[in-house]
């Protein structure tokens, strides 16, 4: 018998607005940083954009039917901020709100809990022009937006998620610049992190003004594995372990310590600009940490794989090198498949944040594989089934060890626009033919349905 899960466990799938909706100019939606980023220059592997994506904005009924048939009791989606506030400020756009209104109602009609993420990286372009997340004002604009959404949907959304993965948005979007808005703030990425966290804290209060639903954030956790140059943990040196600690502070703890412990983590001294997080100043102002650590109902955990880390081999902007981890199968993305890493992560969060750790949800877990159809047109994605099955077992093991995990969301329902990879990496339980928009459930969809039923 597998380890039991709580009876009200949420089995879900997750998506995000820019990755599936398309219809980027419909009904008054304004431009976001991802619209311009995908249209300008050479940022996406296959030269595609999210202009059409899965055309979910027009086909959402079909997609809700797929959710119902799958049997999930929760669906995590994100709202496109530029649909609600086309220029990032001012009153809500009724047509934009109406779309999410219809979506939420059609989910509830089928007994599926709407889990709404406010921000999955699609900042209104006008706000970027005013500094984006480098500007403190953006945190206040985010709270205004949260208030509008809460007033419109707060009676029906069952779980709120403020931000998706502020770590990835900071590091990929504002440090390496391979994601929108394409900035390379090597000397001081920390205002971007701090202002997102501040925006989160302000949004928690704004959401609660009109909604009794619990509030969470979805963080990306990438457990730091010190490995030697051969990718093995056994050959890691003390320098590699020190580098792994630095990575852990920068990628993981930076976005959890302030939320749960009301302080920024130690271990950031190797990063340019981090001294500004150490006390109060023009960046971290009096009261900010209290706002950021406003009580959270739940913590969302997005987990894909551990990160192999070694001592820096060149005087680059970061005090660590990323190294390949050897000895594990890999996904089509090349990411190591380490289901036990999820169990260890959940248990370690429980240990680190013992008394203050709220309920947890695995808000993303999934993998990309090539997904070639068989002669009968069926996608027998056994690799994905093995991946998901291993990760569900890891959640069961964590729950058995006393970790309060309340739900698991597969990334993703549909193959979709995978950021810089365009349409070349498929994560869906449902195959999408992007030329025809035909949806075809894969074997993993049937597997997940059977798991949920059981
Ligand atoms: C993001 C998703 C993305 C997935 C796979 C997560 O970091 O939240 O938007 O598609 O990873 O790369």
């Amino acid at each position: 018998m597998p380890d039991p899960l709580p009876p009200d466990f949420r089995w879900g799938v997750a998506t995000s607005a820019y990755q599936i909706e398309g219809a980027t100019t419909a009904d008054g939606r304004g431009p976001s940083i991802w619209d311009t980023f995908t249209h300008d220059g050479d940022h996406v592997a296959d030269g595609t954009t999210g202009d059409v994506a899965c055309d979910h904005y027009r086909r959402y009924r079909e997609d809700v039917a797929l959710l119902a048939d799958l049997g999930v009791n929760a669906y995590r989606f994100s709202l496109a901020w530029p649909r609600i506030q086309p220029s990032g400020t001012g009153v809500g756009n009724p047509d934009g709100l109406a779309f999410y209104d219809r979506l939420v109602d059609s989910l509830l009609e089928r007994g599926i809990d709407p889990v709404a993420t406010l921000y999955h990286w699609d900042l209104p372009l006008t706000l970027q022009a005013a500094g984006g997340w480098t500007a403190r004002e953006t945190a206040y604009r985010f709270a205004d937006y949260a208030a509008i959404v809460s007033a419109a949907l707060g009676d029906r959304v069952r779980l709120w998620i403020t931000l998706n993965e502020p770590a990835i948005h900071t590091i990929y979007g504002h440090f390496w610049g391979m994601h929108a808005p394409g900035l390379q703030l090597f000397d001081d990425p920390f205002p971007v992190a701090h202002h997102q966290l501040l925006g989160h804290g302000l949004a928690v209060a704004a959401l609660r003004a009109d909604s009794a639903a619990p509030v969470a954030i979805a963080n990306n956790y990438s457990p730091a594995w010190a490995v030697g140059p051969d990718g093995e943990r056994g050959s890691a040196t003390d320098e590699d372990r020190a580098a792994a600690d630095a990575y852990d502070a920068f990628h993981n703890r930076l976005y959890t310590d302030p939320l749960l412990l009301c302080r920024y983590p130690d271990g950031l001294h190797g990063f340019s600009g981090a001294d500004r997080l150490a006390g109060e100043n023009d960046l971290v102002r009096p009261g900010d940490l209290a706002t950021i650590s406003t009580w959270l109902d739940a913590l969302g955990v997005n987990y894909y794989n551990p990160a192999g880390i070694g001592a820096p081999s060149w005087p680059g902007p970061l005090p660590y090198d990323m190294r390949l981890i050897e000895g594990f199968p890999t996904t089509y993305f090349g990411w190591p498949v380490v289901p036990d890493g999820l169990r260890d992560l959940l248990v370690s969060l429980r240990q680190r944040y013992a008394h203050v750790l709220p309920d947890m949800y695995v808000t993303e877990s999934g993998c990309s594989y090539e997904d070639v159809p068989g002669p009968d047109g069926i996608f027998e994605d056994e690799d994905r089934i093995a991946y998901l099955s291993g990760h569900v077992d890891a959640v069961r093991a964590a729950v058995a060890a006393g970790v309060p995990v309340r739900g698991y969301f597969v990334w993703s329902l549909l193959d979709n626009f995978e950021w810089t990879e365009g349409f070349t990496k498929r994560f869906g339980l449902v195959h999408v033919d992007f030329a025809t928009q035909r949806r075809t459930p894969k074997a993993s969809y049937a597997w997940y349905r059977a798991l949920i039923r059981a």
Side-chain angles (χ1 to χ4, degrees), residues 23-240:
T24 50
T25 55
D27 298 332
R29 179 189 179 281
S32 84
I33 54 174
W34 270 97
D35 295 313
T36 45
F37 190 74
T38 53
H39 278 269
D40 301 343
D42 199 10
H43 297 119
V44 181
D46 56 0
T48 56
T49 72
D51 287 3
V52 177
C54 306
D55 198 26
H56 169 80
Y57 189 77
R58 299 198 170 86
R59 295 169 194 261
Y60 76 92
R61 284 187 196 82
E62 187 184 342
D63 295 336
V64 172
L66 282 166
L67 290 166
D69 188 37
L70 182 56
V72 290
N73 57 9
Y75 171 52
R76 176 180 173 226
F77 59 97
S78 82
L79 287 89
W81 187 349
R83 281 197 201 286
I84 309 302
Q85 290 180 300
S87 59
T89 59
V91 295
N93 166 26
D95 292 342
L97 285 165
F99 168 68
Y100 297 106
D101 206 64
R102 292 192 295 272
L103 175 64
V104 162
D105 282 346
S106 51
L107 291 169
L108 290 171
E109 276 162 24
R110 295 183 140 95
I112 301 168
D113 286 348
V115 177
T117 305
L118 292 179
Y119 185 69
H120 202 122
W121 308 343
D122 43 0
L123 191 76
L125 194 60
T126 327
L127 292 183
Q128 188 60 43
W133 290 108
T134 67
R136 187 176 172 91
E137 270 302 299
T138 300
Y140 294 92
R141 298 292 74 74
F142 182 61
D144 295 345
Y145 157 59
I148 293 170
V149 175
S150 185
L153 305 175
D155 54 337
R156 287 159 292 152
V157 164
R158 297 287 188 255
L159 173 65
W160 295 106
I161 293 174
T162 55
L163 302 175
N164 181 70
E165 300 188 345
I168 300 296
H169 199 36
T170 304
I171 299 169
Y172 286 30
H174 301 79
F175 192 86
W176 294 124
M178 71 254 239
H179 277 190
L183 300 180
Q184 296 190 319
L185 304 171
F186 296 147
D187 288 335
D188 192 8
F190 295 100
V192 171
H194 182 69
H195 294 145
Q196 286 179 84
L197 289 164
L198 181 64
H200 155 83
L202 295 165
V204 172
L207 288 169
R208 285 188 179 140
D210 272 304
S211 177
V215 184
I217 186 171
N219 273 334
N220 179 281
Y221 290 97
S222 183
W225 284 15
V227 295
D230 59 357
E232 300 286 347
R233 299 178 94 178
S235 58
T237 62
D238 285 348
E239 289 74 25
D240 296 328

Side-chain angles (χ1 to χ4, degrees), residues 19 120-121 164-165 220 304 335 364 411 418-419 427:
Q19 293 181 271
H120 202 122
W121 308 343
N164 181 70
E165 300 188 345
N220 179 281
Y304 288 88
W335 299 348
E364 283 184 30
W411 184 270
E418 177 53 32
W419 309 115
F427 280 83

Side-chain angles (χ1 to χ4, degrees), residues 159-163 166 197 199-205 207-208 213-219 221 255-262 290-301 353 355-361:
L159 173 65
W160 295 106
I161 293 174
T162 55
L163 302 175
L197 289 164
H200 155 83
L202 295 165
V204 172
L207 288 169
R208 285 188 179 140
V215 184
I217 186 171
N219 273 334
Y221 290 97
Y255 302 92
T256 317
D257 284 14
L259 294 168
L260 298 180
L261 304 178
C262 194
T291 302
I292 290 170
S293 60
T294 302
W295 183 69
L296 262 187
D297 298 287
L299 178 68
V301 171
Y353 301 104
H355 305 299
V356 289
L357 186 71
D359 284 351
M360 289 202 280
Y361 289 90

Side-chain angles (χ1 to χ4, degrees), residues 339-426:
D340 288 351
L342 176 57
R343 178 202 60 208
D344 295 349
L345 166 65
L346 294 167
V347 169
S348 72
L349 287 167
R350 166 104 171 126
Q351 285 164 349
R352 180 169 176 82
Y353 301 104
H355 305 299
V356 289
L357 186 71
D359 284 351
M360 289 202 280
Y361 289 90
V362 175
T363 33
E364 283 184 30
S365 169
C367 51
S368 75
Y369 285 108
E370 261 188 296
D371 295 344
V372 181
D376 46 7
I378 295 175
F379 294 90
E380 296 286 0
D381 56 343
E382 295 301 327
D383 289 344
R384 181 169 291 103
I385 293 172
Y387 183 103
L388 295 174
S389 160
H391 286 73
V392 168
D393 285 349
V395 171
R396 291 186 194 280
V399 170
V403 185
V405 186
R406 304 287 177 225
Y408 178 85
F409 291 78
V410 172
W411 184 270
S412 181
L413 172 66
L414 304 169
D415 291 340
N416 59 45
F417 180 78
E418 177 53 32
W419 309 115
T420 52
E421 303 297 322
F423 297 107
T424 65
K425 298 286 188 297
R426 295 175 175 272

